[in-house]
Amino acid sequence: MTELNTLFQLFNNLSESEKKAFLRKVKGENPTTQSKSRTTCNCAYCKSLHIVKFGKSDKGEQRYLCKDCNKTFTAKTNTILYKSPYSEKVWRKYINCMMQGMSIRKSAKECGINADTAFKWRHKILDSLQSMHDEVKLDGVVEADETFFALSFKGNHKKSNFSLPRESHHRGKCTHTRGISSEQVCVPCAINLNGLSKSVITNLGKPTVKDLRKVFSRSIVESSVLVTDRNSAYNKIASEHNLQLVQIKSGKGSKGTFNIAKINSYHSILKMFIIYNFRGVATKYLNNYLIWNNIKNYSLGSVEDKEQIFADFVFTNRFSEKSHDVSKRVAVPV
Ligand SMILES: [Zn+2]
């Protein structure tokens, strides 16, 4: 009944024209579905749409010439498939393995690639999906709260130029049992009642308003209802972005029709995914695993639809960096 009450309450707050638009949407008229079609090809270098066909590449792929920057390219230039010795079919199979949450070893076997390649692909794919995740906008009723992960330098030891800033600890364990220390990575998370979610590493230790802004400023649509615990930093965020704030005392459960059950469950699933599935992940890769969790466990649509949408996005998204060495990223991306 709670969600129904929420809907009624939100519906009553709408203007007459918004109410009409809402009813049209409920009836299935003019549905807004995510486009499955590939974006039109634009210049791989300057993004101009002013391009012409320009013969074929050695592999028989269509080449294009940009009339603005005079460079030539194919649909694959600077995408994940560019210069890859493996076909799109193998990459697609790998994305399928990822959507099932398969381990590196298992997905490598499934796709006939080695484990090193499988690890690199995992992060290339997730890096590529970063820009899609950046664009996610949460509206309606949005529940938000921070969660924390122990700082982890897993995997960094092998790099000769890396020295641990402190003694290494067991995965998932916190060095301080009370309060929040600077050895904990803060991850503010938000999820709306439709199940769309967002989460990003912002800082070490307790977050300030400035830290929370990094996640919430651009990703919550104005006039949405923001439901949080009693952290006063959210007052500032809500007033800056014209959000209706509902704060619930921790342990209190609910306030009227609102509660923070969805964000609490989100945190549990995220912890399971990171700590039990992968036995903890290095902090430098954590943002990628956050995206993976959002895509696999939260974004809208059937598994097949999601797989299709993500694969199409990944295969057409062009990286701006020339080299893409996943292991060289900074240890603590805050
Ligand atoms: Zn160009």
Side-chain angles (χ1 to χ4, degrees):
M1 223 28 211
T2 316
E3 292 201 351
L4 195 59
N5 288 338
T6 307
L7 279 176
F8 279 134
Q9 194 175 335
L10 290 172
F11 183 78
N12 286 331
N13 283 329
L14 297 177
S15 70
E16 285 311 308
S17 64
E18 284 170 331
K19 278 180 183 165
K20 279 179 190 155
F22 176 82
L23 291 172
R24 272 201 303 275
K25 208 166 173 178
V26 170
K27 283 182 197 157
E29 297 163 21
N30 208 358
T32 49
T33 47
Q34 277 175 283
S35 169
K36 283 185 195 176
S37 65
R38 293 195 173 195
T39 46
T40 12
C41 192
N42 56 4
C43 174
Y45 302 97
C46 74
K47 295 195 163 64
S48 166
L49 284 167
H50 198 193
I51 59 171
V52 290
K53 285 185 178 173
F54 196 69
K56 295 276 166 78
S57 75
D58 299 345
K59 288 180 186 165
E61 293 155 356
Q62 182 62 54
R63 285 198 78 79
Y64 300 93
L65 169 72
C66 175
K67 300 287 255 182
D68 286 326
C69 72
N70 257 335
K71 288 179 179 161
T72 66
F73 57 92
T74 72
K76 283 185 185 171
T77 302
N78 290 345
T79 68
I80 215 162
L81 301 169
Y82 190 46
K83 293 184 179 166
S84 170
Y86 296 94
S87 69
E88 184 175 321
K89 206 173 152 196
V90 185
W91 280 90
R92 243 174 224 284
K93 197 171 180 70
Y94 189 80
I95 289 178
N96 173 272
C97 295
M98 280 183 73
M99 291 304 288
Q100 296 179 59
M102 260 186 217
S103 69
I104 291 288
R105 199 180 295 265
K106 207 171 165 197
S107 38
K109 201 177 164 201
E110 196 80 13
C111 299
I113 56 179
N114 69 38
D116 268 0
T117 305
F119 182 77
K120 278 181 193 144
W121 281 19
R122 171 186 282 180
H123 288 290
K124 278 188 173 188
I125 288 167
L126 294 169
D127 280 350
S128 182
L129 288 168
Q130 178 83 55
S131 54
M132 183 188 250
H133 182 255
D134 286 348
E135 292 309 312
V136 170
K137 299 267 186 277
L138 305 176
D139 59 357
V141 179
V142 183
E143 296 178 22
D145 196 8
E146 319 88 63
T147 190
F148 296 86
F149 289 90
L151 199 54
S152 166
F153 299 104
K154 185 179 171 181
N156 279 325
H157 311 62
K158 290 170 206 149
K159 301 271 165 276
S160 54
N161 57 356
F162 179 83
S163 61
L164 277 179
R166 57 158 182 82
E167 281 180 40
S168 89
H169 299 284
H170 275 291
R171 63 186 153 85
K173 296 259 167 60
C174 305
T175 33
H176 300 260
T177 46
R178 294 176 59 204
I180 293 150
S181 81
S182 60
E183 293 192 2
Q184 282 173 287
V185 183
C186 178
V187 179
C189 311
I191 180 165
N192 74 4
L193 292 187
N194 278 342
L196 270 180
S197 60
K198 193 135 187 172
S199 46
V200 176
I201 300 176
T202 52
N203 63 288
L204 298 178
K206 202 172 185 294
T208 61
V209 173
K210 202 175 149 200
D211 295 321
L212 295 178
R213 270 194 202 114
K214 291 181 205 165
V215 189
F216 300 126
S217 290
R218 290 186 307 115
S219 57
I220 304 182
V221 177
E222 267 202 23
S223 307
S224 300
V225 181
L226 180 64
V227 190
T228 69
D229 61 11
R230 282 302 221 1
N231 183 345
S232 59
Y234 287 106
N235 284 304
K236 188 105 178 136
I237 303 285
S239 68
E240 283 171 359
H241 300 283
N242 193 23
L243 306 171
Q244 188 189 323
L245 182 66
V246 179
Q247 291 202 300
I248 295 166
K249 206 172 166 183
S250 44
K252 191 90 190 338
S254 64
K255 192 175 196 176
T257 56
F258 299 103
N259 61 65
I260 44 174
K262 228 174 166 81
I263 192 71
N264 286 339
S265 142
Y266 176 89
H267 286 168
S268 310
I269 289 168
L270 178 61
K271 296 262 164 166
M272 289 280 281
F273 190 64
I274 306 276
I275 296 168
Y276 297 100
N277 242 36
F278 300 108
R279 299 187 195 147
V281 304
T283 302
K284 67 176 172 181
Y285 297 128
L286 185 56
N287 270 333
N288 273 356
Y289 287 85
L290 295 174
I291 291 174
W292 190 357
N293 176 62
N294 287 336
I295 283 166
K296 181 179 173 294
N297 297 326
Y298 288 96
S299 51
L300 310 178
S302 68
V303 179
E304 293 75 22
D305 281 351
K306 287 201 266 189
E307 206 176 299
Q308 181 77 35
I309 290 165
F310 300 136
D312 283 353
F313 185 85
V314 165
F315 297 148
T316 52
N317 189 30
R318 300 188 201 267
F319 287 102
S320 47
E321 314 105 277
K322 277 200 173 133
S323 72
H324 194 76
D325 189 342
V326 287
S327 65
K328 280 185 186 152
R329 63 190 58 194
V330 291
V332 186
V334 295

